[in-house]
Amino acid sequence: MKRPTAMIAGTGHAVPKRVLTNHDFAGLGIETSDEWIVERTGIRQRFIAGEGESLTSLSADAARQAMKAAGVTAPELDFIVLGTASPDRLLPATAVEVQAAIGATRAAALDICAACSGWVYGMQVAEGLMATSGAETVLVIGAETLSRIVNWKDRNTCVLFGDGAGATIVKRSTKGRGILSVFSRSDGTLADLLHRPAGGALRPVTPEVLAEGSNCITMAGREVFKNAVRSMAEACDRALDGAKLSATDIDLLIPHQANIRIIEATAKHANMPLEKVYVNVDRFGNTSAASIPIALDEALRSGRIKEGMTVMFVAFGAGFTWGSLVVRF
Ligand code: COA
């Protein structure tokens, strides 16, 4: 494929109204502390979806902002690609609900289940659709309502995650802007290190499943941490190789926002000084597929990304899945 084929033409993001700070866990009866969470993860607060807020509503809000920024209307969309691990319903895809909510009458819509790599995978799918199917305008969303699938009795996981949505309009490249390289990998042999053991068709929800909480996310934190550091390092190397660039050519690194220590390790491996790394995990927690597109929208709107800059994105998530992109703006 000739690159760049696809470019980012507009972005948006949305979060729920309710903020849950580290101090608020005491009121929920969870034995933890602000000190422990900040030291181990860098997270200070996260947004939690409440009544009337859903994956569809957050995604639609983010999508409307992205369309406005790109000067695109909903009927112009050819495809909607939505990365999520917490769909509103297991059937149909949340992407079709977003399609209905925003009035994207011409679009085909699908979900991607690649956990925290959902947006990076989604961007690669969008680029492929533009190269092969003639699609001209693709909406790529990364969105999560993880608060609804975490076990609120499990302090190993419930302090880490947050809700939100990030949206990106992808259009055909002009003036050399757009995706310069992509990389993606998966390793299903490690699936059980971060998963929801039950609640799917293999082991449907039963009173027993609910009692043991096995319909919620369970995670082997240390193992996930080690694999995340290793895989994100590989993904940075491969994206740079693919674009024939070196770290000094990258103006900003936007890594998946899971944990400040994983972000710092990734930056160190990639030879990127921390001033060139976007960090908002302190304010949002780990919003999985939403984390990179939320960070991208903030970076664009605050002027941290300017025209002509080259940005590297890198993600890692359950599956395991990991991947990266280098994009010229
Ligand atoms: N508050 C207080 N103590 C907690 C706690 C919490 N929220 N969660 C766990 N602990 C305790 C554990 O019970 C354990 O106690 P013990 O030694 O008495 O058994 C102790 O803290 C250390 O736990 P451990 O899991 O070894 O800590 P850690 O240094 O590995 O940090 C994570 C835990 C989850 C922060 C870390 O492993 C991590 O970030 N992993 C990656 C998670 C991630 O990003 N997942 C998504 C990837 S996309």
Side-chain angles (χ1 to χ4, degrees), residues 83-245:
T84 191
S86 47
D88 278 343
R89 295 189 266 179
L90 293 183
L91 187 74
T94 304
V96 300
E97 311 218 37
V98 175
Q99 174 196 23
I102 63 175
T105 43
R106 284 180 48 254
L110 72 155
D111 283 3
I112 292 187
C113 183
C116 307
S117 306
W119 181 83
V120 166
Y121 272 43
M123 290 295 291
Q124 299 186 20
V125 169
E127 185 195 43
L129 287 168
M130 296 188 75
T132 58
S133 80
E136 291 296 322
T137 309
V138 183
L139 169 61
V140 179
I141 298 171
E144 301 288 0
T145 43
L146 291 172
S147 67
R148 290 177 176 159
I149 60 165
V150 297
N151 182 345
W152 284 96
K153 292 188 187 124
D154 176 14
R155 67 177 184 176
N156 290 295
T157 50
C158 74
V159 302
L160 303 176
F161 299 106
D163 301 336
T168 310
I169 295 290
V170 180
K171 289 194 65 121
R172 200 159 289 282
S173 169
T174 58
K175 300 182 199 160
R177 291 183 203 158
I179 297 174
L180 303 182
S181 69
V182 304
F183 169 75
S184 53
R185 281 287 183 282
S186 308
D187 184 354
T189 65
L190 302 174
D192 288 355
L193 295 176
L194 175 51
H195 68 141
R196 294 173 76 186
L202 180 64
R203 198 173 164 217
V205 174
T206 60
E208 188 195 10
V209 163
L210 292 176
E212 65 189 27
S214 54
N215 56 315
C216 298
I217 295 175
T218 68
M219 179 178 74
R222 289 228 162 153
E223 291 309 309
V224 173
F225 189 99
K226 279 188 257 170
N227 279 281
V229 169
R230 190 183 314 128
S231 302
M232 287 169 78
E234 178 197 15
C236 287
D237 292 347
R238 298 292 296 269
L240 287 173
D241 287 351
K244 299 193 174 51
L245 295 175

Side-chain angles (χ1 to χ4, degrees), residues 15 75 104 143 198 229 247 313 322:
V15 288
V229 169
F313 301 91
W322 61 104

Side-chain angles (χ1 to χ4, degrees), residues 30-33 36-37 40-41 116 155-157 159-161 194 219-225 228 256 258-259 261-262 286 316-318:
I30 296 157
E31 216 180 298
T32 186
S33 66
W36 192 95
I37 300 171
R40 306 285 174 119
T41 71
C116 307
R155 67 177 184 176
N156 290 295
T157 50
V159 302
L160 303 176
F161 299 106
L194 175 51
M219 179 178 74
R222 289 228 162 153
E223 291 309 309
V224 173
F225 189 99
H256 168 48
N259 178 314
R261 293 184 295 146
I262 297 175
N286 180 350
F316 173 85

